[in-house]
């Protein structure tokens, strides 16, 4: 007895899951097959996610002699024929609900990721392991196709639902033909043509995988790779001057080239040269402890990365420069898919406070301005800030951002620049000193550079944590064994990346004989209780 073919379609908000369902329903009806679809609103980790359940009876209506099959409204655990998803973690989430089975279910999923809020909130690298998610798909499916549908969507200039439809058509699960799908999508408009391009790319991607007998082994042995080659960032890095290449090992050239290009854009060539001088001191220290470079110059490599990121710290000049760049405008045009005849308005919202303005002032003036803001806070007032709404699409708005972005020359004279350089030098000295003495300790301190990230209070907290580790573990005299010192630094770094409150870090510091981080004073605000009105009985 023929049974309906069941599909569960999973899409994040705004990805066209409803359109995909309508396409499938119309295609089945056009081909003469009984079909039924239902939608189930839900909540995913990032945005609203609606699942769409579809059943198609594989016998044409013309052959049923007037009978009508009874189709289900909701997927039954273990009886799903296909699970289709536009995001890999969402695929794993649906698998955890028990819909799919290894004996029956075909999984069609994109390898693209839309990071969850919890992944973004982690101080360390909170991203889920893509390879583990792919292995989860392989373990809970009868067959599967993992494709970078986001890349195919970008190539076609459409939405991911068109690519998903092509993948479903090429899977051979449903009895409809390719021309049936194309008939439903087809049209003369530009959107229809883009959808057809996306459909064709998805169809060819799955068709190519089906022709390869080894595709399951490829997914199990390695994480999925993008369908289209993407140039690596290192390939775009400019070549280093000959004299710079001669000073550093060949394995570091690409990373150093990227760092120099970033710092030259951030400030100027002299600032990039300052970076090279700092990095060379680390290399000399590492050569003292590992002359043959048997450990791959790992300390210098770590410092090459984190030092460049710290030296290019974010400030209002940097933000204005990025917001007004031509590449950013082109990226926005691509994201909203604006056409030549479309009118695009782009507003940027800023709220710089006293610390942002004080950062560009000399030390003495900056301290006076910050003291004034602290007095306001102690008096129960909120910190001063200047809300701004700038129309980047206007001449005046773009000029304002460009003028602010041109203030790079003022940055070295500002109080924050001086403070940041002093903190960088303190960290750099600890790395070079410990690397010369004990390679493992120097390597662990170098990796502490990953604590510096973000902006505002997050950035300040990261610097405080790093400097506390440097002052009370890296240079502390109470360690008789350098191996124990290296282990303590590694444990403190991992603890600092565990939670932003710092409780794990304080506990780890105490375990290794170091003092906890000092408490920061917070103003107490007294609020007058509103007078109670007399109520007559």
């Amino acid at each position: 007895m023929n049974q309906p073919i069941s599909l569960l379609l999973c899409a994040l908000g705004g990805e066209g899951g409803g359109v995909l369902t309508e396409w499938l329903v119309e295609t089945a009806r056009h081909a003469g097959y009984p079909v039924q679809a239902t939608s189930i609103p839900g909540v995913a980790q990032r945005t609203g996610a609606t699942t769409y359940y579809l059943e198609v009876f594989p016998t044409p209506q013309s052959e049923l002699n007037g009978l009508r099959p009874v189709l289900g409204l909701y997927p039954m655990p273990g009886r799903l024929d296909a699970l289709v998803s536009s995001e890999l973690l969402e695929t794993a989430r649906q698998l955890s609900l028990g819909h799919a089975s290894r004996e029956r279910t075909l999984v069609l999923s994109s390898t693209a990721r839309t990071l969850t809020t919890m992944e973004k909130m982690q101080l360390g690298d909170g991203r889920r392991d893509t390879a583990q998610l792919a292995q989860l798909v392989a373990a809970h499916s009868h067959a599967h196709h993992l494709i970078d549908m986001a890349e195919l969507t970008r190539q076609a200039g459409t939405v991911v639902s068109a690519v998903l439809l092509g993948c479903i058509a090429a899977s051979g699960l449903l009895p409809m033909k390719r021309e049936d799908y194309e008939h439903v999508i087809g049209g003369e408009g530009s959107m229809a043509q883009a959808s057809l391009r996306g459909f064709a790319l998805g169809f060819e991607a799955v068709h190519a995988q089906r022709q390869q007998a080894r595709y399951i082994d490829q997914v199990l042995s390695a994480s999925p790779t993008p369908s289209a080659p993407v140039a690596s960032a290192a390939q775009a890095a400019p070549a280093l001057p000959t004299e710079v290449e001669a000073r550093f090992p060949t394995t570091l050239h690409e990373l150093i080239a990227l760092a120099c290009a970033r710092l030259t854009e951030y400030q100027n060539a002299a600032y990039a040269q300052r970076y090279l001088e700092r990095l060379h001191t680390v290399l000399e220290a590492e050569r003292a402890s590992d002359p043959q470079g048997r450990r791959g110059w790992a300390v210098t490599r770590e410092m090459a990365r984190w030092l460049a990121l710290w030296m290019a710290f974010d400030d209002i000049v940097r933000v204005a420069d990025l917001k007004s760049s031509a590449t950013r405008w082109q990226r926005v045009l691509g994201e909203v898919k604006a056409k030549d005849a479309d009118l695009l308005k782009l507003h940027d919202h800023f709220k710089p406070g006293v610390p942002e303005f004080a950062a560009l002032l000399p030390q003495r003036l900056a301290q006076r301005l910050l003291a004034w803001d602290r007095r306001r806070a102690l008096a129960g007032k909120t910190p001063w800030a200047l809300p701004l709404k700038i129309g980047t699409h206007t001449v005046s708005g773009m000029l304002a951002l460009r003028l602010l972005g041109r203030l790079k020359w003022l940055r070295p004279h500002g109080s924050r620049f001086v403070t940041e350089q002093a903190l960088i030098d303190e960290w750099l000295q600890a790395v070079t000193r410990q690397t010369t003495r004990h390679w493992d300790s120097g390597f662990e301190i170098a990796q502490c550079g990953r604590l510096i990230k973000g902006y505002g209070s997050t950035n300040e907290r990261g610097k405080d944590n790093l400097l506390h580790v440097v002052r009370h573990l890296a240079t502390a005299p109470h360690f008789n064994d350098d191996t124990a010192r290296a282990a303590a630094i590694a444990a403190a770094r991992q603890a600092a990346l565990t939670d932003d409150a710092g409780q794990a870090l304080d506990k780890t510091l105490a375990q290794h004989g170091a003092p906890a981080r000092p408490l920061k004073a917070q103003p107490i605000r007294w609020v007058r209780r509103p007078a109670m009105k007399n109520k007559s009985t």
Side-chain angles (χ1 to χ4, degrees):
M1 181 177 180
N2 288 336
Q3 295 292 323
I5 301 172
S6 56
L7 292 85
L8 185 64
L9 312 176
C10 313
L12 302 183
E15 291 186 335
V19 175
L20 173 61
T21 305
E22 292 177 2
W23 278 338
L24 286 169
V25 170
E26 291 301 321
T27 301
R29 288 175 177 172
H30 173 75
Y33 293 95
V35 61
Q36 178 176 279
T38 56
S39 62
I40 307 170
V43 177
Q45 305 96 331
R46 291 126 296 200
T47 59
T50 301
T51 55
Y52 302 86
Y53 181 64
L54 186 84
E55 286 195 0
V56 178
F57 199 71
T59 303
Q61 187 70 50
S62 59
E63 300 178 10
L64 294 179
N65 299 322
L67 299 177
R68 298 181 61 184
V70 178
L71 303 178
L73 300 175
Y74 190 82
M76 297 297 292
R79 299 188 62 183
L80 192 65
D81 292 308
L83 173 64
V84 183
S85 175
S86 61
E87 203 270 349
L88 189 56
L89 186 58
E90 182 65 16
T91 306
R93 190 173 78 94
Q94 294 296 333
L95 291 175
S96 68
L97 299 178
H99 293 311
S101 67
R102 187 171 178 81
E103 294 75 24
R104 180 170 182 168
T105 307
L106 166 69
V107 175
L108 300 173
S109 174
S110 175
T111 60
R113 288 296 328 282
T114 299
L115 299 182
T116 66
T117 301
M118 292 303 299
E119 288 177 296
K120 295 178 182 179
M121 290 174 59
Q122 297 298 321
L123 294 177
D125 188 351
R127 294 174 299 176
R128 298 279 185 170
D129 190 338
T130 301
Q132 291 183 358
L133 294 177
Q135 292 175 2
L136 181 66
V137 172
H140 294 82
S141 62
H142 176 68
H144 54 279
H145 297 281
L146 300 181
I147 299 169
D148 189 352
M149 299 180 189
E151 177 60 28
L152 300 182
T153 301
R154 285 189 291 269
Q155 293 179 24
T158 183
V159 291
V160 72
S161 55
V163 178
L164 285 167
L165 185 66
C167 295
I168 295 171
S171 69
L173 179 69
L174 298 177
M176 295 87 79
K177 300 178 180 179
R178 178 171 181 171
E179 49 266 27
D180 294 326
Y181 295 94
E182 293 176 338
H183 174 81
V184 172
I185 301 175
E188 300 297 331
S190 58
M191 294 183 64
Q193 294 302 313
S195 297
L196 285 172
R197 290 194 301 270
F199 173 86
L201 289 175
F203 189 96
E204 296 301 329
V206 172
H207 179 72
Q209 285 194 1
R210 294 186 68 191
Q211 299 302 314
Q212 298 175 0
R214 305 189 307 271
Y215 80 96
I216 294 181
D217 293 335
Q218 293 173 350
V219 173
L220 290 174
S221 61
S223 60
T225 57
S227 301
V230 179
S232 65
Q235 293 174 344
L240 287 172
T242 305
E243 59 274 15
V244 176
E245 290 184 346
R247 298 177 66 186
F248 295 94
T250 305
T251 56
L252 303 177
H253 287 176
E254 291 182 350
L255 188 58
I256 295 174
L258 287 171
C260 289
R262 181 187 184 100
L263 294 173
T264 301
E265 179 189 10
Y266 177 81
Q267 190 62 36
N268 50 36
Y271 197 50
Q273 183 62 34
R274 186 175 185 178
Y275 162 81
L276 291 174
E277 296 301 328
R278 282 171 162 168
L279 189 62
H280 193 260
T281 61
V282 178
L283 178 61
E284 292 299 317
E286 189 167 17
R287 281 174 173 164
S289 60
D290 185 14
Q292 305 299 324
R294 296 178 179 176
R295 306 193 189 192
W297 311 108
V299 176
T300 308
R301 174 176 290 276
E302 290 295 315
M303 289 297 291
R305 177 185 180 186
W306 302 119
L307 179 61
L309 292 176
W310 192 348
M311 289 181 66
F313 58 87
D314 288 332
D315 57 8
I316 56 176
V317 176
R318 174 68 169 170
V319 172
D321 190 37
L322 293 175
K323 292 285 188 181
S324 59
S325 65
T327 55
R328 190 245 182 169
W329 183 259
Q330 294 299 323
R331 186 172 66 252
V332 172
L333 289 175
E335 289 177 354
V336 301
K337 298 180 175 61
K339 306 300 181 182
D340 293 337
D342 292 339
L343 180 62
L344 175 63
K345 292 185 177 181
L346 178 62
H347 293 276
D348 284 300
H349 294 264
F350 303 90
K351 196 175 181 181
V354 169
E356 285 75 22
F357 289 105
L360 297 178
L361 297 177
Q363 196 75 25
R364 183 174 298 179
L365 291 177
Q367 292 301 323
R368 292 178 61 181
L369 186 60
L370 291 171
W372 169 78
D373 198 43
R374 283 195 296 269
R375 289 194 297 269
R376 285 174 49 86
L378 291 175
K381 299 179 180 179
T382 57
W384 183 88
L386 179 62
L388 297 173
K389 180 181 179 182
I390 298 178
T392 312
H393 60 281
T394 65
V395 175
S396 59
M398 181 59 72
L399 282 176
L401 291 176
R402 291 308 300 154
L403 288 174
L404 183 56
R406 295 277 182 167
L407 294 181
K408 294 179 181 180
W409 62 270
L410 186 60
R411 184 185 281 138
H413 305 285
S415 60
R416 183 180 177 187
F417 187 89
V418 175
T419 302
E420 296 286 350
Q421 303 309 314
L423 298 179
I424 290 173
D425 286 336
E426 182 176 353
W427 172 51
L428 186 67
Q429 291 172 6
V431 171
T432 54
R433 183 168 55 250
Q434 290 301 323
T435 301
T436 304
R437 175 179 174 178
H438 185 251
W439 187 92
D440 289 335
S441 297
F443 179 66
E444 297 298 341
I445 303 171
Q447 289 192 94
C448 287
R450 69 185 305 182
L451 299 178
I452 310 299
K453 59 181 63 182
Y455 54 90
S457 59
T458 300
N459 183 266
E460 293 297 325
R461 182 168 55 248
K463 287 185 292 191
D464 289 343
N465 291 343
L466 184 147
L467 294 174
H468 195 86
V469 171
V470 167
R471 294 166 182 171
H472 297 282
L473 291 179
T475 60
H478 65 273
F479 284 103
N480 297 323
D481 183 7
D482 286 324
T483 301
R485 183 193 302 273
I489 296 171
R493 183 184 69 253
Q494 295 298 330
L497 294 171
T498 300
D499 67 309
D500 55 0
Q503 296 179 357
L505 175 58
D506 290 337
K507 182 178 179 180
T508 303
L509 290 169
Q511 291 174 350
H512 293 90
R517 299 168 305 139
L519 296 177
K520 289 190 175 183
Q522 299 292 334
I524 299 176
R525 295 181 180 178
W526 301 95
V527 180
R528 185 185 299 276
R529 177 182 296 178
M532 299 294 293
K533 295 182 180 180
N534 294 326
K535 296 182 179 180
S536 58
T537 57

